[in-house]
Each structure stands twice: as structure tokens, then as C-alpha cells.
Amino acid sequence: MDIGCNKASVRFEENEHQTLENLSLSVKKGEKILLLGPSGCGKSTLLATLAGIIPKSIEAEVVGEVAAARQAGFLFQNPNEQFCMQTVGEEVAFSLENRAISFFEMEALIDHFLQLVGLDEKKETLIHELSGGMKQRLALACILALQPDVLFLDEPTAQLDPLGRREFAQLLGEIARDANQTMVVVEHDYEEYLDWLTRVIIFDRNGRIRYDGVPKQVLQTYREECLQLGIRLPTLFPFSWEEIVTSRKNPLAKNWNTFLSEKEKQEKNQETGESIFTSKKAIVGYKNKRILSDLSFTVHRGDWIVIAGENGAGKSTLIKSMAHLEPLLAGEFYFLNKNIKKWRDRSFYSQIGFVFQNPENQFVMNSVLEEIVLSGEKMKVKNEQLVKCVDEILRAFHLVHKKNLHPFSLSFGEKRRLSIATMLISQPDLLFLDEPTFGQDYQNEQEIFRYLKQLHQEGTTIIMISHDVEAIAKYASRLFVLHHGGLVYDGSPHTFFSKCESPEKFGLTFPLAYEYLQKAGRSIGK
């Protein structure tokens, strides 16, 4: 066995059940493997076990035979978990020091690996000042600097903007050209990997291997089974763009033409509600560092706004400032026509909700169930209704079997679902969400949007950060695009994607329906 496990089981101390049970598989040198499966099925645990992180660095009971990689590079879902230095340059240097690189060679190598991952930051930049996507790029640079035999990548593009995701996938494709480089990847959005992957392993909800083989063959043969497991299928596969563009009878072409026509009608019939939030010449930033300036806009009741832009554009800083979690540097914010500085915290936060990029930031109770109940009690939901709502949400977000566990013991995807669940039950007037579907499989992602849509229809105004251009096109009524320190676009997503010649300069890509529109060169409705 090169790398792998034989009848291996893994159980964490805080969990009653095993995360992995009686699992056997082997990884051969040079293989490029994709692990697919529902959120919480143990994919990240398997990666950490094969990399030797479990049980050496993360305590867990491991039974059976495990042959871990001797020299592994591991990219975590949350890059903060692997940083130990203060600045960008120091972090890459630390990896080079582990290889005993001399001081005289180090500066040039640091520049090389930062350039390789597209991180255009000064080496003196403090890591905590980087955006989530920038941190992910830095983490990869540090891993590549180690020159590992095996690369373990746990959702490596999840925190990147759409353009960054495409470029990152291309970068991984270049790394994959090395026939001797072994790669094991966990990724929900994997379509751009299919050209270089050699193998896919698909798990069920209980962490058992269901299918194992050549990616395109497995995905085509077990298409329906994959959908039942909540696995996102490649959108274009098995068609090519040429087939889609040249035939109106192609099912994807039909769907996209219908979608575009509907969006055109919705835009013409869109109504504007009363003001719920107003920004007047606001300047927002982080620790007195100006990030966005001259922000003037009005949020109307019933809006579903998505804020988009490159990594580091200031999206998270903006919504934290709007939610009074970061101080305004200048200007004014008004909620319900009252300056947010004049609101009492208790009254203000009883009417708004906030889902953080890192879900752990909002957990205060000792169990999943208590966390959801607390949110309902804060909003004074009646007992009978509260019991019904809690039960419905636990089932919808596949957390019933986790309800008595501590929130910190959940997988990242489960933590994210819990953080959203606590906000949904409170039914706020205004809800802020920072990348709500990050780390979710397709089924859970659709369930989250189903609940958000229901909440929106019941009167909640939504302001959401998202890198998912398909979700932007489908759900948003308004799009804010941030670029070069300002708000450069405020309007409908349909108009933006129909008229914009190069969304890439804003860190975006075309949703597939609009890419089809560009490639086909057709007018909507014709």
C-alpha cells in the first residue's frame, strides 16, 4: 500500500459515533483523486488521516491500518488554522526553513511562490489583514514551498472569487501535469478539474465508498445516484460549448433561453419598497485603514442584494460596518430612518441577523439544539411554534443526529448550516450573510436557498456576500459590485451580466446562461 488505509475507523472523543468506519482504499503515486460526498460524511477527516495529521496533531481514536504520506502538504478549509507567523513573507520563509534553504536563496524563492499563486502583496503585510481568499492563496504558497510528495487540498477554491477560482483551478492543473505529483482533493465545485483528475471516489452520508473509478465514466454512469447523495454534477457535462451554442434544441440551451427571458420580464416588473437602510457618504475600513469610500445607497424593504467583487475588495468589512460590528470611519448609516449610532444594541440586534464567514464567531451554547432554541427564544417565538420550527430546521439541514453535540465538534459545512439555521428561526427584518453556502454540498446549498427564499417572501430583506455567480443570477434582485475602493455598480444582476463585456476585471465570471448568451451572440427573447 503506497498511501491509504485498510479497515480503518476514526472517532473523535466528543462524538458518540465514528466519523469513518471500516474504510479501505489505496492511493498510488501520481494519482489525482477527487473525493466527493455529502457535507459531514468524513471527507476532511479522511484527508487529515492520510496526511498523518490525525492522530499526530488532531486527537482521535484510530483503529485499523493507516499508511500516511511521509511528506505531505495540506491546505485546510480554513487557512487560519495553518498560519504560525505574523507576516506574509515570514510565513513562506517558515516553510523554506523547514527545507533548510539558505538565507541568501530565500528572498527570491519567497517572491517566486507568492507570484506562483497570484498573491500580489508586500512581504511585510500582516496576515490578519488579508481577506479570506488572499489567505487561501498564501496557504497554498507555503505548501508548495515545502515541495511535498502528496498535496492534500480541502476545498481549495471555496473562499476565492469566481475569477480567482478559475485561475486557481488552472494553477492546480499545471501542478497536476507533473506525473509524479500525487494529489487528493475535496471539492464541491470541481468541473474545471475534470480534465486532469484520474480518479473519483464517491461517499454516501455514512462515509462509505459507493463508487470509485474514472471521473467522467463514474459521473455519467451514476448520475441519478449522485444527485440523490446531494452531489453537484458538472453543468455542461456531457455536452461541449459547441454543441450547446449551435443547437437551440439542446436541453441546456432551452433552459438558458427560458431563464433569460424570465429575468428580462422580472426586471421590467420589479417594484421598490420603502427604505429600510441608508448609507450617506460612508467610509468603511479596518483599524482606521480606509477600504471603501463615498458609499451612498438606499436598501429597500424586500430587496435581495448580493455584494460581489474581488477578494479583498471590502465586502465583509462593509456588511460588518452596516451591522454595527465595525465602526464607521466617516459618513452615516441609517436603519429605519434612525442613525445606527443612536440605536440601543438590544433593540437593533433584535431586528437584524448576521451570519459570519467563520460560523464559530456566533456560537455561545453547548449543543446544536440549544444554539437554535436560544435564537428562537431571543425573538420570543412561542413554545409550540418554537418546537415545530426547531424540528423542521434540524431535519432540513441534516442536523438531527448532531443535535446534542457541541457546535465546535461539527464539520465546517455543518457549522455553517447551524449558523444559518439560528438566523432563519429568528426571522429578522434585515439579514446579513457572509458566504452562506461556503463548504456545502449541492443538496444542502439548495436547502439553504429554499429557506432564504421563503424568508425573503415572508418579508425579510437580505444582504448577502457571495462568489457564486449562478446564485447571484438566480436569486438576487440587486447587485453591488465593489472595485478599487468604491461601489462601482448598483443595479440588477441581469443588466450587469447582459451588458458587461468583462466581468473578470471585477473578480467575477459570467453565469453560464450569460456565457451562453455571449457565445451564441443572440438577443434575449429571439
Side-chain angles (χ1 to χ4, degrees):
M1 180 165 47
D2 296 307
I3 302 166
C5 54
N6 182 31
K7 297 182 179 179
S9 299
V10 178
R11 185 182 71 84
F12 296 100
E13 184 179 352
E14 64 272 17
N15 290 353
E16 180 181 348
H17 302 289
Q18 293 169 323
T19 303
L20 297 177
E21 185 176 1
N22 201 33
L23 187 68
S24 297
L25 65 86
S26 63
V27 178
K28 295 180 180 178
K29 184 176 178 63
E31 281 194 300
K32 281 73 178 174
I33 300 175
L34 173 67
L35 305 182
L36 279 179
S39 293
C41 73
K43 302 183 297 295
S44 296
T45 299
L46 176 59
L47 276 190
T49 303
L50 295 178
I53 295 173
I54 293 175
K56 289 180 181 178
S57 301
I58 299 175
E59 291 186 11
E61 178 186 36
V62 180
V63 178
E65 182 184 356
V66 175
R70 293 182 180 179
Q71 192 171 355
F74 197 105
L75 183 60
F76 289 86
Q77 283 182 345
N78 182 358
N80 289 318
E81 296 177 0
Q82 62 197 82
F83 296 141
C84 57
M85 307 302 284
Q86 290 190 329
T87 70
V88 168
E90 289 171 346
E91 194 65 43
V92 181
F94 183 73
S95 293
L96 296 171
E97 286 170 358
N98 285 327
R99 289 174 47 205
I101 299 296
S102 72
F103 174 79
F104 301 102
E105 298 176 85
M106 205 167 281
E107 284 297 309
L109 285 173
I110 292 172
D111 291 336
H112 166 73
F113 286 110
L114 291 177
Q115 184 178 8
L116 186 63
V117 300
L119 186 57
D120 186 20
E121 290 288 327
K122 293 180 180 179
K123 293 191 283 289
E124 298 78 23
T125 302
L126 295 173
I127 293 173
H128 71 78
E129 292 181 354
L130 299 177
S131 69
M134 290 177 179
K135 288 177 181 176
Q136 199 79 332
R137 291 174 185 262
L138 174 60
L140 180 63
C142 296
I143 289 169
L144 294 176
L146 289 170
Q147 294 190 333
D149 294 328
V150 185
L151 275 175
F152 294 97
L153 304 160
D154 196 351
E155 297 197 53
T157 65
Q159 295 194 41
L160 300 181
D161 60 53
L163 180 60
R165 187 179 299 135
R166 177 183 291 175
E167 292 173 346
F168 197 96
Q170 291 170 351
L171 171 60
L172 292 181
E174 300 212 352
I175 295 170
R177 289 179 185 174
D178 181 353
N180 293 318
Q181 179 66 69
T182 307
M183 300 170 69
V184 186
V185 186
V186 171
E187 184 65 276
H188 291 298
D189 191 0
Y190 56 89
E191 189 158 1
E192 294 192 48
Y193 299 0
L194 288 176
D195 287 339
W196 53 264
L197 287 168
T198 61
R199 182 180 172 193
V200 62
I201 301 174
I202 297 178
F203 297 83
D204 63 18
R205 295 194 181 279
N206 297 314
R208 293 175 297 216
I209 295 176
R210 290 283 294 272
Y211 313 109
D212 183 352
V214 177
K216 290 184 179 180
Q217 293 178 3
V218 169
L219 293 169
Q220 190 163 15
T221 303
Y222 302 107
R223 183 180 181 87
E224 292 303 318
E225 290 85 347
C226 287
L227 288 173
Q228 290 172 10
L229 288 171
I231 294 170
R232 181 195 300 275
L233 292 171
T235 307
L236 298 183
F237 181 75
F239 303 111
S240 67
W241 270 118
E242 184 179 358
E243 292 175 292
I244 297 168
V245 169
T246 55
S247 174
R248 284 178 177 267
K249 295 182 179 180
N250 181 280
L252 291 178
K254 284 184 177 180
N255 290 341
W256 290 334
N257 276 317
T258 301
F259 173 84
L260 292 166
S261 296
E262 289 176 351
K263 285 298 176 182
E264 184 83 353
K265 292 175 184 176
Q266 288 174 14
E267 188 174 81
K268 291 177 180 178
N269 299 326
Q270 190 166 315
E271 297 180 358
T272 301
E274 63 179 344
S275 170
I276 189 172
F277 192 99
T278 303
S279 173
K280 295 185 177 181
K281 296 184 178 180
I283 298 175
V284 302
Y286 180 77
K287 292 186 177 180
N288 293 321
K289 178 183 177 182
R290 180 182 298 200
I291 296 177
L292 294 167
S293 302
D294 198 25
L295 298 173
S296 296
F297 56 82
T298 297
V299 177
H300 304 284
R301 192 176 292 277
D303 278 344
W304 187 327
I305 297 173
V306 172
I307 302 175
E310 311 104 312
N311 286 119
K315 301 182 293 295
S316 296
T317 302
L318 174 57
I319 65 169
K320 285 179 181 178
S321 298
M322 292 174 70
H324 209 21
L325 299 172
E326 292 282 353
L328 261 179
L329 300 185
E332 296 174 318
F333 281 153
Y334 293 85
F335 177 61
L336 297 178
N337 299 315
K338 180 178 178 181
N339 195 306
I340 64 169
K341 295 177 182 177
K342 296 182 179 180
W343 280 88
R344 291 185 177 181
D345 285 351
R346 187 179 182 86
S347 179
F348 182 70
Y349 291 114
S350 69
Q351 297 178 76
I352 75 160
F354 197 101
V355 175
F356 289 85
Q357 192 175 59
N358 182 357
E360 292 184 357
N361 289 345
Q362 65 194 76
F363 297 149
V364 296
M365 303 302 286
N366 292 320
S367 75
V368 169
L369 180 61
E370 291 172 334
E371 199 72 50
I372 299 175
V373 169
L374 176 65
S375 294
E377 290 176 341
K378 281 182 178 179
M379 300 308 293
K380 298 180 181 180
V381 180
K382 294 180 180 179
N383 285 339
E384 290 184 6
Q385 185 182 356
L386 180 59
V387 171
K388 181 180 179 181
C389 287
V390 169
D391 182 65
E392 182 181 344
I393 284 177
L394 284 170
R395 293 181 186 280
F397 289 103
H398 301 107
L399 292 171
V400 173
H401 62 301
K402 307 276 186 169
K403 66 180 181 180
N404 295 320
L405 296 181
H406 195 287
F408 284 15
S409 71
L410 302 177
S411 72
F412 189 88
E414 290 165 341
K415 289 175 185 174
R416 170 62 81 198
R417 296 205 298 277
L418 174 59
S419 68
I420 295 170
T422 60
M423 290 299 105
L424 294 184
I425 199 169
S426 64
Q427 295 187 317
D429 288 335
L430 178 60
L431 177 60
F432 297 93
L433 303 109
D434 196 343
E435 291 284 354
T437 58
F438 167 58
Q440 300 303 312
D441 60 49
Y442 179 72
Q443 187 174 23
N444 282 313
E445 178 184 296
Q446 295 305 301
E447 200 63 43
I448 288 169
F449 277 122
R450 185 178 75 82
Y451 267 89
L452 288 177
K453 187 176 181 180
Q454 179 180 327
L455 200 65
H456 182 248
Q457 290 173 340
E458 292 172 355
T460 295
T461 301
I462 295 174
I463 300 177
M464 178 178 88
I465 293 171
S466 180
H467 286 144
D468 186 345
V469 293
E470 300 299 331
I472 293 172
K474 185 174 181 180
Y475 295 104
S477 60
R478 281 172 74 184
L479 174 64
F480 284 4
V481 178
L482 305 183
H483 186 61
H484 287 173
L487 175 61
V488 298
Y489 180 83
D490 173 7
S492 80
H494 178 72
T495 296
F496 178 82
F497 289 118
S498 297
K499 303 290 176 66
C500 182
E501 295 181 358
S502 180
E504 289 82 6
K505 69 180 181 182
F506 305 113
L508 297 169
T509 57
F510 284 113
L512 288 173
Y514 295 90
E515 186 170 355
Y516 163 73
L517 188 66
Q518 293 287 321
K519 290 180 181 295
R522 292 170 181 158
S523 299
I524 300 165
K526 288 187 179 180

